[in-house]
Amino acid sequence: MTKLYFFLILALSLNLSAQDDLLAELEATSLPATEYTFATWKGTKVVNLQTNEMPGEGVLQYTILHRFGAFNQDFVYNFFGLDNAQVRLTLDYSPKEWLNVGLGHTGFLKTYDAFAKYRLTRQSKGEKNMPVSITGFSSVYYANQRFNDGLDRNATTRFSFVNELIIARKFTPNISAQIVPTLVHFNLVETPNDNNTIFALGLAARYKITKMHAITVEYVPQFNGNSYQVPGENGAAPSLEKFSNALSIGMDIETGGHVFQLFVTNAQGVAEPYVFAQNTGSWLEGDLHFGFNISRVFTIKKKK
Amino acid sequence: MKKTLFISFGLVFSLAASAQKLSTRNAEVSFFSATPVENIDATNQQVSSILNLDNGQFAFLVPIKAFQFEKALMQEHFNENYMESGQFPTAKFTGEIVDYNKISLDKDGKYTLVLAGTMTMHGVSKEIKQEVMVTVKGGKLSLKSDFNILASDYKVEIPAAKADNISNSLAVKVSATYD
């Protein structure tokens, strides 16, 4: 008799859960096989490093990047560094979902540049399991500054190049990080002892404190960085000092079509080669700069 | 006694197993948000649905990331800031067509009936009761239902700064044609 009740209950529960069974049937057969991670970062840059993000296909992006004068350079007299700010402007476009190309101009050494960013893999789980998103970034810079030293310079000496391989992972909805093997090449360096090609390893992480705000930190140590000459004080002989590694701490603020990034960094050059391999600012000596990156996107080609 | 029980149980089970079900992977869900500043409109054509022809019970499964927006950034914000589709990848709607037995599958016809069920979205479940238009044509059955939902009912927060751009009340359209 107890068995009979058992079966009755079983039959009843089968009936009750029929709707859930329908759902289970759907879940088993129709969910997308691979789920891709998105929005690993809010912007296309952390501070100075690129992120694996790029504007969507058919989207034009305009960015304005500012690095104010240092805290230790007559800060108040220079209107909190604003009077000797360095500026960089870029315009980029994504003709494909996986490709972004752009042009930039940087005030420092009156540099013009062209760059491309290309997605190699996307972090995903499911049928296709990929632990990280890998994106490449390559750019070429032309320093157009006039020289008054009377020496002949051919154009090739004015070029420099940067390649970044951005390996990023979104660990949780709030925590993302990336490592960025970086290669900087200068066609011309100061002395024969300097390296033309410098290797660096960018490290960056973010933590989202609200849906619209995130804290970011970024550090780019060089493996074979060059040195620069510091004039000696009071007639002393000039000394050599190592170029610094760029360290930046910032905050991302997202407002619809804009991302505002506010930060403190020891690198003022804005363009990648100067930030990663020719940075004379030191955190310990107070060579810190307020800075911001602002981006605005325009959808040129609508998706449907 | 034991034998009959097993047989009858087997019978019930086989009945359940042979229940006639229709399904589709191309059902469509769209929503529309209208504010004086901008209109937002997204469509999802990767919705799957299943209908039990014996009793009118149904289920819809909506992969959130498959909603397509006009602007890529809108789509990213929808997923990242509002629906949090990393944590809540699907919306579900299960229930039944009330008075399903009024429908005759043998001849073409249109019926206005009621859908009653539970919608689960962004981790929140809510009872839903809405009018549905059922069409039978050439032996094919299709459903169509238009209704409004409130984002706040599903704990989807729209920050005050975005209230001019995004409406809390969304006009939802659901349609499915079963094969």
Side-chain angles (χ1 to χ4, degrees):
Chain A
M1 201 57 197
T2 39
K3 265 186 185 160
L4 185 65
Y5 278 120
F6 175 72
F7 280 125
L8 274 176
I9 289 164
L10 197 75
L12 205 67
S13 68
L14 269 175
N15 195 28
L16 277 178
S17 67
Q19 291 172 11
D20 292 336
D21 287 350
L22 288 178
L23 195 62
E25 212 166 303
L26 283 184
E27 279 173 339
T29 55
S30 348
L31 280 181
T34 304
E35 205 178 307
Y36 290 100
T37 302
F38 58 92
T40 306
W41 304 86
K42 287 201 184 293
T44 54
K45 297 192 85 173
V46 184
V47 172
N48 293 311
L49 282 170
Q50 297 286 331
T51 68
N52 66 305
E53 300 294 338
M54 57 179 93
E57 183 174 344
V59 175
L60 182 78
Q61 179 179 240
Y62 179 53
T63 73
I64 304 168
L65 304 88
H66 259 74
R67 307 289 184 266
F68 292 166
F71 293 177
N72 59 3
Q73 279 171 6
D74 236 334
F75 191 54
V76 178
Y77 176 71
N78 284 319
F79 199 65
F80 310 100
L82 187 70
D83 293 349
N84 38 19
Q86 290 287 348
V87 184
R88 171 171 165 76
L89 306 171
T90 70
L91 193 65
D92 62 66
Y93 180 72
S94 297
K96 296 276 176 225
E97 184 269 330
W98 56 270
L99 177 69
N100 176 258
V101 292
L103 298 169
H105 175 78
T106 306
F108 187 68
L109 297 186
K110 305 208 181 297
T111 304
Y112 293 86
D113 62 278
F115 55 88
K117 200 164 169 178
Y118 33 94
R119 180 174 285 135
L120 302 172
T121 72
R122 284 181 73 183
Q123 186 183 337
S124 63
K125 63 183 182 193
E127 197 170 84
K128 197 176 152 198
N129 219 328
M130 177 60 66
V132 291
S133 296
I134 304 177
T135 305
F137 172 82
S138 302
S139 54
V140 49
Y141 306 80
Y142 182 81
N144 194 41
Q145 178 129 310
R146 290 183 192 126
F147 290 90
N148 300 317
D149 52 13
L151 292 175
D152 259 355
R153 278 164 215 271
N154 77 44
T156 58
T157 62
R158 293 173 173 270
F159 279 101
S160 55
F161 306 85
V162 168
N163 284 292
E164 294 178 34
L165 191 67
I166 302 132
I167 305 168
R169 179 171 166 82
K170 189 176 191 177
F171 288 92
T172 74
N174 293 333
I175 299 174
S176 301
Q178 64 180 23
I179 54 174
V180 188
T182 301
L183 196 150
V184 182
H185 180 88
F186 296 96
N187 273 4
L188 181 70
V189 286
E190 290 285 321
T191 73
N193 296 328
D194 288 337
N195 299 311
N196 284 84
T197 304
I198 294 109
F199 298 94
L201 186 68
L203 307 165
R206 75 124 189 228
Y207 179 72
K208 263 169 73 185
I209 47 177
T210 75
K211 282 177 188 162
M212 308 292 178
H213 302 83
I215 303 283
T216 55
V217 58
E218 173 195 279
Y219 183 53
V220 192
Q222 307 162 74
F223 292 111
N224 56 341
N226 290 330
S227 298
Y228 62 103
Q229 229 177 38
V230 184
E233 278 171 46
N234 304 325
S239 60
L240 276 183
E241 211 165 301
K242 279 278 205 195
F243 282 115
S244 308
N245 297 329
L247 172 64
S248 319
I249 297 172
M251 182 171 194
D252 288 1
I253 304 167
E254 180 186 271
T255 64
H258 292 282
V259 178
F260 291 94
Q261 300 180 308
L262 308 173
F263 43 81
V264 175
T265 178
N266 60 340
Q268 204 192 2
V270 203
E272 282 89 355
Y274 315 132
V275 168
F276 298 146
Q278 290 188 345
N279 173 20
T280 55
S282 153
W283 271 77
L284 295 177
E285 287 160 30
D287 303 323
L288 298 179
H289 308 265
F290 271 133
F292 62 78
N293 298 340
I294 296 176
S295 75
R296 171 78 209 180
V297 297
F298 305 92
T299 304
I300 301 295
K301 205 175 76 190
K302 294 193 167 167
K303 283 172 71 180
K304 51 176 185 183
Chain B
M1 177 63 196
K2 228 176 186 178
K3 222 175 198 173
T4 16
L5 200 60
F6 270 120
I7 289 167
S8 57
F9 178 66
L11 207 67
V12 166
F13 197 72
S14 66
L15 270 177
S18 72
Q20 222 193 327
K21 292 173 199 160
L22 294 179
S23 67
T24 174
R25 287 182 184 206
N26 305 316
E28 191 174 302
V29 173
S30 66
F31 71 84
F32 186 70
S33 145
T35 66
V37 178
E38 68 180 332
N39 293 332
I40 298 168
D41 153 32
T43 306
N44 190 332
Q45 291 173 321
Q46 292 178 34
V47 175
S48 53
S49 177
I50 191 164
L51 176 72
N52 187 332
L53 277 184
D54 297 340
N55 54 16
Q57 291 185 339
F58 65 83
F60 280 88
L61 186 64
V62 185
I64 299 296
K65 283 182 193 172
F67 274 100
Q68 296 297 315
F69 290 69
E70 204 172 61
K71 296 180 176 174
L73 202 61
M74 270 183 186
Q75 190 165 331
E76 183 179 312
H77 291 165
F78 169 77
N79 281 292
E80 175 79 356
N81 298 340
Y82 299 100
M83 295 300 285
E84 300 177 86
S85 60
Q87 286 150 278
F88 310 109
T90 56
K92 296 157 192 171
F93 184 25
T94 58
E96 60 181 347
I97 301 170
V98 181
D99 292 333
Y100 172 74
N101 50 22
K102 284 186 181 163
I103 297 172
S104 159
L105 289 168
D106 303 328
K107 57 175 198 282
D108 291 359
K110 278 192 175 183
Y111 309 84
T112 305
L113 300 172
V114 168
L115 283 181
T118 309
M119 177 129 84
T120 305
M121 191 168 93
H122 194 239
V124 180
S125 295
K126 261 191 92 74
E127 298 298 317
I128 282 219
K129 213 166 189 173
Q130 294 295 343
E131 220 169 63
V132 60
M133 176 77 97
V134 182
T135 309
V136 179
K137 201 178 174 191
K140 273 196 173 179
L141 194 151
S142 55
L143 305 180
K144 209 172 170 107
S145 183
D146 296 358
F147 52 91
N148 283 303
I149 61 169
L150 297 180
S152 52
D153 281 351
Y154 295 90
K155 293 191 179 147
V156 176
E157 273 176 61
I158 298 163
K162 294 278 109 193
D164 288 344
N165 300 72
I166 307 170
S167 166
N168 188 42
S169 172
L170 305 165
V172 178
K173 290 182 182 194
V174 180
S175 63
T177 300
Y178 297 96
D179 300 322

